[in-house]
Amino acid sequence: MGEFLNFIADIEVESPGRINLIGEHIDYNGGFVLPTAIDKVIHFKLKKRKDNLIHVESIGFENPLKIEINNLNKSSISWHNYLIGVLHYINLLCPNKIQGFDCIFKSNLPVGSGISSSAALECGFAKGVNELLKLNLSNQDIISLCQRAEHDFAGTKCGIMDQYAVINGLEDHFLLLNCQKITHKLVPAQLLNHKIVLLNTNISHNLSTSEYNIRSQECQSALNCIQVKYPEYKFLCDVPLEIINEFKTNLSDKHYKRAIFTSEENQRTLKAVNFLKDGDVVQLGNLLYSSHKGLRDLYEVSCKELDFLVEFTRNISSIKGARMMGGGFGGCTLNIVKEDYITPFIKDISEAYLKEFNIKLTPHIVKTNNGVKVL
Ligand code: GLA
């Protein structure tokens, strides 16, 4: 870690991961989602060089990135591509403005666990480059260029939620993000005497390769079918349940289930905001359980490890709700747990998980946090 401490930076940036309270897999369907940034972060240091080279080193990952500004091609090392993608799109927005620099970063954000280490990497790096080279990119520019980098360089056709939350998160708040307008309203994170506990299954998903992009295409196909009769619906989340039901026989069973899930999940997010405002943690928690059920049975993005963790919490009065979070197929569950029950809960569930799967669970008690900041 000495090399990180010894690196004399011109600019330092801290970039958080994100959680999503509810509203899963609906950002790319024009829905409402309820994410915020968390206190697990990537810390970047950057300093200018006198030549045209860009060197990026990561504490904890091998193979530093060494690249020339005029040669921003994809790399065979996956973490490089997030950064190369960011540089590529910055270069398109600000032609001939990128100069050589050195960058080093370290992270306490677990990778591949559904808390958006990739958006934290993209957005933190983009913010650092923007500040270092005084490029005057707006936060909105950074959000969309990072999303494009993820689409085209990492291969995940993600929605806007992660990049948006990583940039705009606010301590003690969730962001009710309208994914059509790309604007948000702040919702105070009133969980009374409860905390958010993430339980990492330590099963790693690979969103980019397969299922995530397939879900997005399935939703588009369902919408296309509905639009033949109802062209006024531009997003799947806007289609009311009664209309989706009209198409029960026209849509394949799979497309029908995807459509029902998106419509219901969108409604759940809006209800969750009201329960949060009223401080009704019990009703809020019930929505989390319904969300998990939908993700498991209708959207089919859960896995046995996630289901086990959610089921374990059922009927424990100190746990108000639990569900899988993020893209799915592994990663974390999000649990709303009464403060005085956190320690015994983690002990019991870790033992049960180890016994069932012979895998160690990693718990994270997370706090809400501000978005990317220049230190
Ligand atoms: C990933 C994507 C997001 C979102 C979630 C699921 O984190 O990057 O855009 O779709 O999955 O809600």
Side-chain angles (χ1 to χ4, degrees):
M1 202 58 70
E3 44 194 326
F4 190 83
L5 284 177
N6 297 337
F7 186 104
I8 311 290
D10 295 333
I11 291 284
E12 295 190 43
V13 167
E14 204 177 82
S15 185
R18 67 99 188 90
I19 48 172
N20 183 27
L21 189 60
I22 197 161
E24 214 64 270
H25 279 281
I26 55 172
D27 56 347
Y28 54 88
N29 284 309
F32 286 95
V33 297
L34 202 53
T36 196
I38 53 169
D39 59 343
K40 299 237 162 261
V41 298
I42 306 180
H43 183 166
F44 294 86
K45 288 181 164 186
L46 298 97
K47 72 166 177 254
K48 281 191 191 161
R49 296 172 63 101
K50 297 212 158 43
D51 56 21
N52 263 351
L53 298 176
I54 295 170
H55 283 183
V56 186
E57 204 174 316
S58 155
I59 307 291
F61 281 114
E62 287 176 353
N63 303 314
L65 168 66
K66 296 186 177 181
I67 200 164
E68 266 189 62
I69 293 160
N70 301 322
N71 195 11
L72 297 175
N73 295 322
K74 277 192 194 169
S75 157
S76 57
I77 314 274
S78 66
W79 70 266
H80 289 179
N81 287 322
Y82 296 99
L83 308 182
I84 297 170
V86 165
L87 291 169
H88 172 85
Y89 283 112
I90 291 185
N91 195 33
L92 283 188
L93 285 175
C94 313
N96 305 318
K97 292 268 178 60
I98 301 185
Q99 299 162 34
F101 62 89
D102 288 333
C103 171
I104 187 166
F105 67 90
K106 66 172 182 166
S107 169
N108 63 5
L109 259 179
V111 172
S113 50
I115 51 181
S116 225
S117 53
S118 55
L121 184 61
E122 294 148 6
C123 296
F125 184 66
K127 187 80 172 178
V129 174
N130 184 45
E131 294 296 317
L132 183 76
L133 306 178
K134 304 204 171 15
L135 302 176
N136 286 322
L137 292 170
S138 67
N139 279 345
Q140 194 47 53
D141 291 334
I142 290 179
I143 291 168
S144 51
L145 81 85
C146 289
Q147 186 194 25
R148 290 173 73 190
E150 179 120 8
H151 281 200
D152 300 337
F153 282 74
T156 308
K157 304 292 176 197
C158 63
I160 198 72
M161 172 171 80
D162 299 352
Q163 290 77 12
Y164 194 97
V166 164
I167 290 285
N168 289 309
L170 186 68
E171 206 178 344
D172 295 327
H173 291 81
F174 290 103
L175 313 175
L176 175 62
L177 168 58
N178 178 330
C179 298
Q180 291 183 27
K181 297 192 175 141
I182 323 288
T183 55
H184 71 273
K185 288 193 177 135
L186 290 172
V187 183
Q190 281 200 79
L191 294 174
L192 308 175
N193 48 356
H194 294 74
K195 285 202 166 133
I196 292 180
V197 178
L198 304 182
L199 297 173
N200 189 349
T201 57
N202 288 318
I203 300 286
S204 178
H205 58 259
N206 190 347
L207 284 174
S208 64
T209 47
S210 51
E211 294 295 327
Y212 186 93
N213 294 344
I214 292 174
R215 289 300 172 282
S216 161
Q217 287 159 11
E218 288 167 347
C219 289
Q220 190 55 51
S221 304
L223 180 62
N224 292 344
C225 175
I226 293 167
Q227 280 176 332
V228 173
K229 182 162 177 204
Y230 296 104
E232 62 271 36
Y233 294 115
K234 302 287 179 241
F235 295 92
L236 196 53
C237 279
D238 288 343
V239 186
L241 279 179
E242 315 81 76
I243 292 196
I244 298 174
N245 279 322
E246 257 185 54
F247 288 82
K248 192 162 181 184
T249 48
N250 296 40
L251 291 170
S252 70
D253 184 47
K254 202 188 268 179
H255 292 171
Y256 173 72
K257 288 197 290 188
R258 308 300 187 241
I260 294 283
F261 170 78
T262 56
S263 184
E264 289 181 346
E265 183 74 353
N266 199 37
Q267 292 310 314
R268 280 192 284 267
T269 308
L270 295 171
K271 284 187 192 151
V273 171
N274 290 331
F275 291 140
L276 259 181
K277 284 183 182 155
D278 295 345
D280 192 340
V281 204
V282 172
Q283 298 270 35
L284 176 69
N286 288 337
L287 288 176
L288 264 59
Y289 284 121
S290 311
S291 170
H292 184 78
K293 192 165 178 293
L295 287 159
R296 185 191 64 196
D297 301 337
L298 299 174
Y299 217 68
E300 298 176 289
V301 289
S302 188
C303 61
K304 60 183 190 308
E305 293 84 0
L306 290 165
D307 295 341
F308 176 87
L309 292 178
V310 171
E311 268 325 295
F312 187 92
T313 69
R314 289 282 193 172
N315 307 319
I316 302 177
S317 64
S318 296
I319 301 178
K320 298 299 181 293
R323 66 176 198 86
M324 57 148 278
M325 188 184 71
F329 305 104
C332 292
T333 61
L334 179 148
N335 303 263
I336 301 180
V337 189
K338 210 162 166 211
E339 273 164 12
D340 60 8
Y341 189 66
I342 293 177
T343 309
F345 169 53
I346 288 178
K347 180 172 174 290
D348 291 352
I349 199 163
S350 301
E351 281 172 13
Y353 187 74
L354 184 66
K355 192 161 165 232
E356 184 76 17
F357 298 108
N358 203 21
I359 301 172
K360 260 190 106 187
L361 196 65
T362 314
H364 301 283
I365 304 164
V366 291
K367 289 203 195 103
T368 57
N369 194 4
N370 295 327
V372 171
K373 53 178 171 282
V374 179
L375 300 177

